[in-house]
Amino acid sequence: MRRLCIALLLLALLIWGSWWSLHAVEQVTSSIVLEIQAGELDKAHQHWDSAQLLLGSLLLHDEIDQADRLFDRVLAAHESESSEDFLLDCTELLAQLNHLPELERPSLINLL
């Protein structure tokens, strides 16, 4: 009986940890996306930099590096006032940021 209680407690802990990590990633990325859409690129980049420790512990580093490179491209295009490059890179960055929570969602695709 004791082993069953321990197993159920561990299962509940794993489920709670999975839910918490999904919620944390969704919250961080959605606030960054809203800041980008509002035109607050510097604030969004600061928010992104401050979230690196959390995201780095929960997500694949390749996905985070990709978003980091896209942030650099968006900021460079914004500074050079290249509207075409800015819009393209900004759209790609928003798509990448919206993709990050999908990596944490419990689904059959992610399990396989």
Side-chain angles (χ1 to χ4, degrees), residues 27-112:
Q27 187 177 19
V28 168
T29 56
S30 66
S31 64
I32 293 172
V33 165
L34 289 174
E35 290 168 353
I36 291 171
Q37 290 173 341
E40 301 171 343
L41 290 176
D42 292 331
K43 186 177 177 183
H45 192 254
Q46 288 173 355
H47 196 167
W48 173 256
D49 284 340
S50 67
Q52 289 297 311
L53 181 62
L54 174 69
L55 295 176
S57 63
L58 297 176
L59 297 172
L60 298 170
H61 290 283
D62 292 339
E63 300 288 339
I64 295 171
D65 291 342
Q66 170 97 13
D68 209 24
R69 283 189 296 273
L70 287 169
F71 248 117
D72 292 340
R73 285 175 35 196
V74 165
L75 290 173
H78 182 66
E79 288 175 9
S80 70
E81 298 178 2
S82 174
S83 62
E84 187 174 307
D85 289 338
F86 173 74
L87 290 175
L88 181 64
D89 292 337
C90 195
T91 302
E92 194 172 347
L93 174 61
L94 291 173
Q96 179 68 19
L97 289 173
N98 287 324
H99 170 70
L100 291 178
E102 295 298 321
L103 298 172
E104 288 294 301
R105 243 182 250 306
S107 66
L108 188 57
I109 292 172
N110 287 341
L111 293 176
L112 299 177

Side-chain angles (χ1 to χ4, degrees), residues 4-22:
L4 179 63
C5 289
I6 292 172
L8 290 175
L9 181 66
L10 288 174
L11 177 64
L13 186 62
L14 286 172
I15 290 170
W16 179 83
S18 296
W19 174 83
W20 177 83
S21 67
L22 172 62

